Amino acid sequence: MTPHEAAGTKPKGSPWRILVTVLGTLAVIGVEFVLLYGVYSRATPVAEQRAAVAEVVGQLSVAVPADAAALADSLDRAAAQLADLGAPDDQVAVVADAAAAVQDSPGALAEARTAVTDLDAELADHAASLDVQAIVAYVSMLVIASVGWMVWFRRLVGRHRRLQAEVTEQAALVASEGRLASLVRRSADVIVVLGTDGRVGYATDSAAGLFDVPV
């Protein structure tokens, strides 16, 4: 028998505690997924932009002035691809300007190569920044979740200890009452408790033997 059963009461708030715990856990998981999805959804276009720019860098690294016309067409396509991938206008302009420069002056390959290489480095830095943001978001949510679970677990342990103390106290009280009843029942004194109707409600063993009444 639990302390609540002995007292004729039921524990209050337990369903609400469970509901709050479940909702809190789901909220933390949901926020974590939203943050990570937001970071990685930004990282995906950047990775595709880097791939497009890396292809241009490769073409420029092996290009010669005689390939200026074909290279200009390739750079124009790369600029259009970057625009479709949502790259900022200034980054698209770098590739488009390189295409125009190569087409107008085949000797401008070096300048175009430098400009596109710098753009590739800029995209690499942006991708690294997004990776750091993802790590920070993940670690932050992990710390928040860990602290939340630790606080909840400490409260749960504290509540369990209080209930255990109540059960122990109740068990000690029942045992004490049992010992007292046993002492009274086996007492040499004659003790008889009569009800309002005159019937014997309680009698010690000595009274039962003396008056021949059931115990």
Side-chain angles (χ1 to χ4, degrees):
M1 177 181 294
T2 65
H4 298 289
E5 293 173 343
T9 61
K10 295 182 179 180
K12 298 179 180 180
S14 296
W16 290 107
R17 290 192 185 95
I18 296 174
L19 180 61
V20 169
T21 300
V22 172
L23 292 179
T25 302
L26 293 177
V28 170
I29 294 174
V31 171
E32 182 174 358
F33 273 107
V34 168
L35 288 176
L36 292 178
Y37 176 78
V39 172
Y40 282 110
S41 64
R42 293 172 56 197
T44 300
V46 174
E48 295 174 347
Q49 294 165 19
R50 285 193 65 192
V53 172
E55 183 178 355
V56 173
V57 171
Q59 293 174 355
L60 287 172
S61 64
V62 296
V64 294
D67 301 330
L71 182 60
D73 291 339
S74 179
L75 290 174
D76 284 333
R77 289 194 298 271
Q81 183 180 4
L82 286 175
D84 292 339
L85 292 174
D89 293 339
D90 57 339
Q91 295 179 358
V92 176
V94 170
V95 180
D97 292 345
V102 170
Q103 188 171 11
D104 294 340
S105 175
L109 278 175
E111 291 80 359
R113 187 180 297 116
T114 300
V116 176
T117 301
D118 291 342
L119 176 59
D120 184 52
E122 180 183 347
L123 289 174
D125 292 341
H126 190 193
S129 175
L130 291 176
D131 289 340
V132 171
Q133 292 178 26
I135 293 173
V136 170
Y138 181 77
V139 171
S140 299
M141 293 307 302
L142 185 62
V143 170
I144 292 173
S146 299
V147 171
W149 276 109
M150 182 181 67
V151 172
W152 179 82
F153 182 74
R154 286 176 62 88
R155 292 186 60 184
L156 182 64
V157 170
R159 183 168 178 267
H160 174 73
R161 288 176 177 173
R162 288 194 300 271
L163 290 175
Q164 189 175 28
E166 292 178 6
V167 170
T168 302
E169 182 180 355
Q170 183 67 24
L173 179 60
V174 171
S176 177
E177 291 176 349
R179 287 193 297 270
L180 178 60
S182 178
L183 289 174
V184 171
R185 182 180 298 276
R186 289 171 173 75
S187 173
D189 296 332
V190 176
I191 301 175
V192 178
V193 179
L194 299 177
T196 56
D197 57 357
R199 295 183 179 181
V200 176
Y202 176 81
T204 60
D205 292 344
S206 57
L210 180 62
F211 298 110
D212 193 21
V213 295
V215 178

